[in-house]
Amino acid sequence: MKQKIVIITSKYLHPFVEKAFEDFKEDCTVTIADYTNFDHITDIYRKYEKTADGFMISGTTAMAAIEHHIGEFQKPVISFHADLISFYHALIKLFLERRDLDPTRCIFDFMLPIVKDPEHPVEATADYLIHEMDLNNLALTMDKWASQSTTGDFSMVEMNIALRTIELWEAGKIDMVLCAYSSTMPLLDEKGVPNYFLYPVKNQLESQIKELLAQIKLEKYRENLPVAIAIADRNKTSGKKSDDSVQDAVQKVSKALLIDAVFQAESEIYYIYTTHRVAAMLTKNFEVEYLDSALKDDYGISTAIGYGIGNSITEAKKHAENALRESWSSTGSFVMNESNQIIGPLGSSQLPSFQQNLPDDIFQIAEKCKLSTLTIQKLISIVKMNGSYEITTNELANHLGVTVRNANRILRNLENGGAATIAHTRSTASKGRPVKVYRLNL
């Protein structure tokens, strides 16, 4: 079956994109959808989100505008724009055709939002970008600007750029604008501002759509990877009985959610076998945990849950059992993916992942401190999230979701193994002993 690609671009670029794909030979259908400005670009994406297999969007800013509004893309998406080769090709062509142009008076529209002095946009000139700026860092600069912008910024960015360009032109400060925002060009034409669009080359577009098709193929393969969900009743260990058995409760919850799955009970563990697509929908791409909440809230059953993704059902089951063991020893549900990474707990604000194929130093630290490699990985992740190697017992307990007693044991083991030292003490507001602050040497 042919893949369905939707290209979201401006009305100005539509004829160019259409002509570029006239002779495209790949086995896919291409629909070109036009946007006028960023105000309704998200509506176009939503219109095709369920029926398209993937999207090409003209420009990183246009893609960022959609992403800011909808959150994470649910389908493969790439942006297309003039790359460095197209960029230089366009500049050489322009300045060979127009030898009268002064590069210090030709500006790039996409640089205007990030110049230091809007009245004298030296950093936006062709001369500056060619001689002064590291073009390899240009994409990073634009990405940083896009990540810090809000949806409101994106809805106004094109109009603000157009108006600022017109002001510079009317003030006699520029001779031409080199455009990446094609949707601003009709207004520039109306005001008589000389402009030149930086087109991507045809080969680049064809290469990018082939890349998108490869992403779609990989995504569809991953959607069908087998997933096993291992569920155990935490109350069993304390001799308590749930009002409903885990098996009955899980089947009722699954029926309510219309989950396409196979169910199997083995000893104290209940298994659900399904696909990556179904499990991703159930957990919002393995970020939240619904099953545990539903079983607890609706049936009073406290569960430990492990999700396993594998290249076979046997591997998925093994991974689910590994994730379940991690769920038992802490709080929350965990995932072990097909790359042997443990991810979790689901529902936390940040989801660190823990690799099973580890460097030797982590094994050495774990052995010296008599702790598991997973605990060492968690500690390293906490250091990265906090941006500090210093931590107290209470802070560690909160991060790991364990008791203060367990956190104390971990820190003592680290200290005995040479992986932690007492850096200093911290006074508390209430009366009592000062709190020890440990420095982790990981």
Side-chain angles (χ1 to χ4, degrees), residues 229 254 258-263 272-275 278:
I229 307 171
S254 300
L258 301 176
I259 295 175
D260 182 16
V262 174
F263 305 92
I272 301 175
Y273 295 101
T274 184
T275 64
V278 173

Side-chain angles (χ1 to χ4, degrees), residues 102-107 125-127 169 172-177:
D102 180 353
T104 64
R105 292 178 57 81
C106 297
I107 62 168
T125 65
D127 184 74
W169 163 251
K173 295 180 178 181
I174 62 171
D175 294 333
M176 177 173 283
V177 57

Side-chain angles (χ1 to χ4, degrees), residues 118-133:
E119 294 300 320
H120 301 90
V122 176
E123 301 99 324
T125 65
D127 184 74
Y128 183 86
L129 263 72
I130 292 170
H131 294 104
E132 304 292 336
M133 177 169 275

Side-chain angles (χ1 to χ4, degrees), residues 158-206:
E158 295 170 306
M159 181 57 68
N160 288 339
I161 285 174
L163 294 176
R164 184 73 200 114
T165 302
I166 292 167
E167 288 176 5
L168 291 169
W169 163 251
E170 291 178 345
K173 295 180 178 181
I174 62 171
D175 294 333
M176 177 173 283
V177 57
L178 307 171
C179 296
Y181 292 102
S182 57
S183 53
T184 66
M185 295 181 71
L187 182 57
L188 297 178
D189 288 337
E190 181 183 326
K191 297 294 182 178
V193 181
N195 55 74
Y196 186 86
F197 186 73
L198 300 169
Y199 286 101
V201 296
K202 181 180 177 180
N203 289 346
Q204 179 196 351
L205 286 177
E206 291 182 353

Side-chain angles (χ1 to χ4, degrees), residues 311-324:
N311 292 300
S312 67
I313 292 176
T314 302
E315 185 179 73
K317 182 182 179 184
K318 179 182 176 182
H319 288 178
E321 290 167 350
N322 289 340
L324 179 65

Side-chain angles (χ1 to χ4, degrees), residues 239-251:
K240 297 178 182 177
K241 289 187 178 179
S242 304
D243 295 333
D244 295 276
S245 69
V246 174
Q247 180 173 341
D248 290 342
V250 169
Q251 287 187 347

Side-chain angles (χ1 to χ4, degrees), residues 110-140:
F110 60 86
M111 289 297 295
L112 286 177
I114 56 177
V115 296
K116 295 176 183 177
D117 183 359
E119 294 300 320
H120 301 90
V122 176
E123 301 99 324
T125 65
D127 184 74
Y128 183 86
L129 263 72
I130 292 170
H131 294 104
E132 304 292 336
M133 177 169 275
D134 181 356
L135 289 176
N136 290 322
N137 290 330
L138 178 58
L140 294 176

Side-chain angles (χ1 to χ4, degrees), residues 323-360:
L324 179 65
R325 279 193 288 271
E326 181 57 32
S327 180
W328 267 116
S329 63
S330 57
T331 58
S333 302
F334 286 78
V335 181
M336 178 178 269
N337 64 20
E338 70 273 25
S339 300
N340 294 331
Q341 285 180 312
I342 291 269
I343 302 169
L346 304 189
S348 61
S349 58
Q350 298 190 51
L351 288 176
S353 63
F354 307 107
Q355 184 67 43
Q356 297 298 293
N357 301 321
L358 303 171
D360 290 341

